[in-house]
RNA sequence: GGCGCAUUCGUCUAGGGGCCUAGGACGCCGCCCUCUCACGGCGGUAACACGGGUUCGAAUCCCGUAUGCGCUACCA
């Protein structure tokens, strides 16, 4: 790898207007990977210039989502460093310092046009189907006049004196991108209330934080020439830009609540694993490689090249994520799967009320996620498994591994082990529809009760010889037993399930079911 | 309206002038395996937005058009 020409410093700058959605999370991820990969520095900055929409709560959420993904920052909230502070609201003095500089060098000028005047101009332009850019009316106002009007209390803004010509910047993914300066004209950098405008704030932050590479969504491409103009006015080095393609929902619109899960926490509540979500997010806009499903963050840093990203927007596909999650689960060892399951089931409150959570799980992932969120915001303590539940979870883990895509799948599949036998109407009907069910159940109970060593290898042959002995089709025997022990038609392997129940419970359940018919 | 970015199977993508009668993955369909559901295996379905060039030859280069998205604010 070529020696980096300078110290690499990147930043991720979300605005705290809500939770961190997957699109932003992805931007954070790429920044992190790029920084680590190049032995660079990663700064987390909070763009809370928009006071009305920013909340401290949101900052906390962002911080926690970043941590959950393992994206540690070198500098930022809770990790102060040389470039503090990290909230734009706390950086006002810095902005004004730079503003002074620009005013001093004549790059900025005061504009007294009122919003109404500008609006009129804009409307006129629109009526003529003409592009509107600021006319530059106040551009040549003599300094004395400006001073006098200011003193008189007239409201004014500060505009950038944009030079004529073109502005070209380099994009790491697309090469040179060119804009005509007169397509945007002299833009405002300081509002009449003295606050600073977005484009100025970003540039000042990036300059003062010595950012070398700006990695952000491609919705910022159009802002970039204005920012470059500011860099140049400041005499600062223009960083490299990498505008990454946006992430859309299945309807090709920006990801929003309507698309189901749009934040990490919701996905994990539905039983997706962060490891997988991270890799999925990373590999959108890049060539898929099956081996990457199990990659760790460190693997991504080592092997994933942000410069190889595609340039067109991609759509978030929950189906593929689900498949990837299943693949990931299947390559997990017994112990680790057991741990993950335990952690997950605790979080969704399964151990507290298995039956109730089972109902939720059957209602769908959204219901489950909503319940988790509700519990967490109410700060209800998660109830860890008792000894018996823990043992059961561990034993079951390898038996359900092949059947799960998300951890939540465990609940409908194996939830019945954790509660007393119960039959729904459908289960009873199925049982009654199964030939000789009562006889099969009774006979199986008797045979199993007589088994001295309770092991899968002993249970299986016993059950397998039942069909012939009773003159019933094998399928009917298995179906009756499955329904009889669990009350449902989908379970882990039959012999293993009987074994997990233990002799007494298994025999008891089968007898109970038989009595029902 | 102006400017910009984008445009290969339904979705994520490979492809950077001949290797492409366009490859892989998810999904979907079928078959096999099988005690249910799955896993797994095998096979199939399906795309270069359109129109012009350039070239012996274009998915690949150029120009238009269309579509989508973004910016066009004293939003970020």
């Amino acid at each position: 790898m070529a020696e980096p020409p300078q110290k690499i410093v990147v930043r991720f700058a979300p605005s705290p207007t809500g939770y961190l959605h997957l699109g932003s999370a992805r931007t954070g991820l790429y920044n992190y990977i790029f920084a680590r990969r190049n032995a660079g520095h990663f700064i987390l900055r909070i763009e809370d210039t928009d006071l009305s929409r920013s909340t401290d709560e949101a900052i906390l959420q962002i911080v926690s989502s970043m941590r959950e993904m393992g994206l540690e920052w070198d500098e930022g909230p809770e990790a102060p460093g040389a470039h503090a502070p990290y909230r734009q609201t706390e950086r006002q003095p810095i902005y004004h310092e730079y503003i002074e500089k620009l005013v001093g060098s004549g790059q900025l000028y005061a504009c007294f046009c009122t919003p109404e005047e500008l609006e009129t101009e804009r409307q006129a332009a629109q009526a003529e189907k003409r592009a509107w850019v600021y006319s530059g009316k106040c551009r040549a106002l003599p300094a004395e006049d400006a001073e006098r009007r200011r003193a008189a209390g007239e409201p004014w803004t500060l505009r950038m004196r944009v030079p004529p010509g073109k502005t070209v910047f380099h994009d790491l993914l697309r090469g040179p991108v060119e804009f005509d300066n007169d397509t945007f004209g002299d833009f405002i950098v300081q509002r009449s209330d003295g606050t600073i405008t977005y484009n100025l704030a970003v540039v000042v932050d990036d300059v003062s934080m010595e950012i070398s590479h700006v990695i952000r969504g491609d919705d910022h491409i159009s802002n970039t020439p204005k920012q470059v103009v500011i860099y140049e006015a400041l005499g600062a080095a223009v960083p490299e830009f990498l505008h990454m393609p946006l992430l859309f929902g299945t309807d090709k619109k920006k990801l929003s609540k309507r698309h189901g899960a749009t934040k990490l926490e919701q996905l994990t509540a539905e039983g997706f694993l962060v490891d997988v979500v991270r890799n999925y997010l990373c590999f959108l806009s890049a060539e898929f490689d099956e081996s990457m499903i199990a990659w760790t963050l460190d693997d991504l840093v080592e092997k994933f090249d942000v410069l190889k990203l595609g340039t067109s927007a991609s759509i978030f596909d929950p189906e593929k994520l689900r498949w990837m999650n299943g693949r990931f689960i299947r390559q997990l060892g017994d112990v680790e799967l057991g741990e993950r399951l335990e952690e997950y089931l605790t979080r969704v409150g399964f151990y507290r009320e298995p039956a109730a959570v089972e109902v939720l799980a059957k209602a769908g992932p959204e219901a489950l996620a909503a319940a988790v969120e509700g519990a967490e915001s109410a700060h209800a303590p998660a109830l860890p498994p008792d000894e018996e539940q823990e043992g059961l979870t561990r034993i079951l883990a390898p038996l359900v591994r092949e059947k799960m895509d998300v951890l939540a799948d465990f609940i409908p599949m194996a939830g019945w082990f954790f509660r007393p036998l119960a039959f729904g109407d459908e289960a009873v009907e199925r049982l009654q529809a199964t030939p000789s069910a009562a006889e099969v159940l009774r006979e199986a109970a008797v045979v199993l009760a007589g088994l001295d060593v309770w092991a899968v290898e002993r249970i299986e042959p016993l059950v397998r010889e039942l069909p012939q002995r009773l003159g019933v089709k094998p399928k009917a025997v298995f179906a009756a037993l499955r329904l009889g022990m669990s009350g449902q038609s989908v379970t882990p392997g039959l012999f293993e399930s009987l074994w997990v129940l233990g002799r007494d419970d298994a025999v008891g359940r089968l007898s109970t079911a038989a009595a029902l018919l």
Side-chain angles (χ1 to χ4, degrees):
Chain A
M1 198 178 299
E3 208 57 38
Q6 65 189 115
K7 170 93 176 147
I8 295 211
V9 185
V10 300
R11 68 356 181 238
F12 171 50
S15 23
T17 53
Y19 59 83
L20 190 68
H21 74 78
L22 293 171
S24 307
R26 184 154 158 266
T27 307
L29 221 203
Y30 286 144
N31 270 287
Y32 174 89
I33 291 173
F34 186 78
R36 293 290 170 266
R37 186 165 231 272
N38 296 291
H41 200 68
F42 179 38
I43 300 180
L44 175 61
R45 184 212 299 161
I46 304 294
E47 299 205 333
D48 60 346
T49 308
D50 187 352
L51 257 4
S52 60
R53 291 192 298 168
S54 301
T55 65
D56 286 0
E57 170 71 19
I59 297 179
L60 254 30
Q61 283 187 25
I62 289 169
V63 163
S64 101
S65 293
M66 290 286 287
R67 293 243 161 88
E68 190 169 0
M69 286 204 298
L71 308 181
E72 292 297 329
W73 49 98
D74 302 308
E75 269 188 69
E78 299 178 22
H83 306 285
Y86 303 98
R87 292 176 62 160
Q88 291 188 325
T89 42
E90 293 170 6
R91 298 177 64 79
Q92 295 304 319
I94 305 176
Y95 302 137
H96 288 104
E97 189 186 306
Y98 279 81
I99 289 271
E100 287 304 310
K101 217 164 130 185
L102 289 169
V103 169
S105 61
Q107 317 260 24
L108 257 35
Y109 64 89
C111 169
F112 297 90
C113 298
T114 64
E116 295 72 31
E117 283 177 78
L118 297 173
E119 188 51 35
T120 313
E121 278 184 31
R122 203 172 291 137
Q123 306 247 323
Q126 191 161 36
E128 292 172 46
K129 295 208 162 196
R130 230 179 47 232
W132 180 81
V133 279
Y134 176 60
S135 63
K137 200 192 291 178
C138 301
R139 201 174 221 250
L141 223 52
E144 312 81 63
D145 291 8
E147 202 41 57
R148 186 165 25 80
R149 292 171 74 171
R150 262 200 269 205
E154 233 184 283
W156 50 281
T157 60
L158 243 28
R159 282 186 187 270
M160 191 74 209
R161 196 181 295 278
V162 177
K166 294 173 187 300
T167 295
V168 182
F169 69 88
H170 184 255
D171 185 283
L172 257 7
L173 257 26
R174 308 158 221 262
V177 182
E178 185 183 282
F179 286 83
D180 247 307
N181 287 5
D182 53 16
T183 57
F184 50 89
D186 292 353
F187 54 93
I188 291 175
V189 298
Q190 185 180 96
R191 305 185 185 94
S192 52
D193 64 359
T195 58
I196 247 63
T197 256
Y198 169 75
N199 285 119
L200 185 99
V202 199
V203 174
V204 170
D205 285 340
D206 287 344
V207 168
S208 58
M209 289 179 169
E210 303 173 270
I211 303 300
S212 65
H213 296 253
V214 172
I215 301 173
R216 58 188 3 172
D218 70 15
D219 49 342
H220 284 285
I221 289 180
S222 302
N223 287 323
T224 309
K226 294 182 200 168
Q227 294 169 8
V228 170
V229 165
I230 301 177
Y231 277 103
E232 283 166 353
L234 247 18
V238 179
E240 287 282 357
F241 293 99
L242 188 155
H243 289 102
M244 45 178 275
L246 260 22
L247 180 58
F248 289 145
T250 33
D251 55 359
K252 305 194 177 195
K253 294 272 165 56
K254 245 183 169 171
L255 214 51
S256 77
K257 293 207 170 63
R258 294 186 332 263
H259 300 110
T262 56
K263 59 172 170 175
L264 187 63
E265 289 72 14
Q266 192 177 347
L267 251 15
T268 55
E270 291 178 13
F272 288 94
L273 302 164
V274 244
D275 320 58
V276 179
V277 175
R278 202 166 49 205
N279 291 342
Y280 175 73
L281 248 26
C282 211
F283 272 81
L284 273 170
S285 305
E287 186 172 11
F288 179 79
D289 170 2
E290 221 172 286
S291 72
M292 117 293 185
I293 295 173
W295 282 8
T296 61
L297 225 206
D298 287 342
D299 289 328
L300 283 173
V301 168
E302 191 190 326
K303 303 171 188 167
F304 190 83
D305 188 355
V306 177
L307 300 180
K308 291 214 175 96
L309 284 176
T311 47
S312 55
S314 35
I315 292 170
F316 179 78
D317 180 7
E319 283 305 314
K320 189 149 190 180
L321 213 211
R322 171 171 286 273
W323 170 80
M324 275 178 63
N325 207 69
R327 288 290 274 225
F328 186 91
I329 285 176
R330 265 164 254 136
Q331 53 87 45
L332 245 29
D334 295 354
V335 174
E336 193 174 358
L337 214 212
E339 278 167 8
R340 299 235 192 194
L341 272 172
E342 225 174 88
E343 198 182 337
Y344 175 73
L345 294 172
T346 300
R347 184 168 174 221
V348 298
F350 175 78
Y351 293 120
R352 186 193 306 269
E353 304 175 87
V357 174
E358 212 177 316
V359 171
L360 275 180
K362 279 174 183 151
E366 287 82 7
L368 209 50
V372 172
E373 198 163 15
E376 281 172 1
S377 63
H379 301 294
L383 193 68
D386 60 33
E387 213 171 291
E388 193 184 336
Q389 290 171 328
E390 179 176 354
L392 207 44
T393 307
R394 299 285 165 147
I395 290 173
L396 251 10
L399 305 183
V400 293
R401 178 169 39 217
E402 307 280 286
K403 301 166 189 277
M404 289 196 301
D405 278 337
V406 293
L407 296 177
D409 293 339
F410 177 89
I411 300 169
M413 175 74 55
W416 58 274
F417 281 101
F418 294 78
R419 53 161 173 76
L421 186 60
F423 289 99
D425 294 343
E426 200 194 331
V428 175
E429 269 172 43
R430 284 195 186 213
L431 211 42
Q432 286 166 343
T434 309
S436 331
E439 193 192 354
V440 169
L441 290 169
R442 266 193 301 273
E443 185 61 20
V446 171
V447 175
L448 290 171
L451 199 52
D452 51 348
V453 178
W454 193 251
V456 176
E457 304 75 53
R458 299 294 301 280
I459 297 169
E460 178 162 355
L462 269 185
V463 173
R464 283 204 187 275
E465 68 182 39
L466 241 33
Q468 208 183 4
R469 267 206 6 234
L470 300 172
V472 181
K473 285 188 173 172
K475 288 231 184 215
V477 170
F478 295 126
L481 294 182
R482 171 166 283 109
L483 276 159
M485 71 176 176
S486 69
Q488 51 191 57
S489 49
V490 177
T491 68
L494 180 58
F495 316 117
E496 290 81 0
S497 293
L498 286 167
W499 171 72
V500 170
L501 285 172
R503 180 168 42 210
D504 294 348
D505 197 4
V507 170
R509 283 173 181 245
L510 295 179
S511 309
T512 305
L516 203 75
L517 296 172

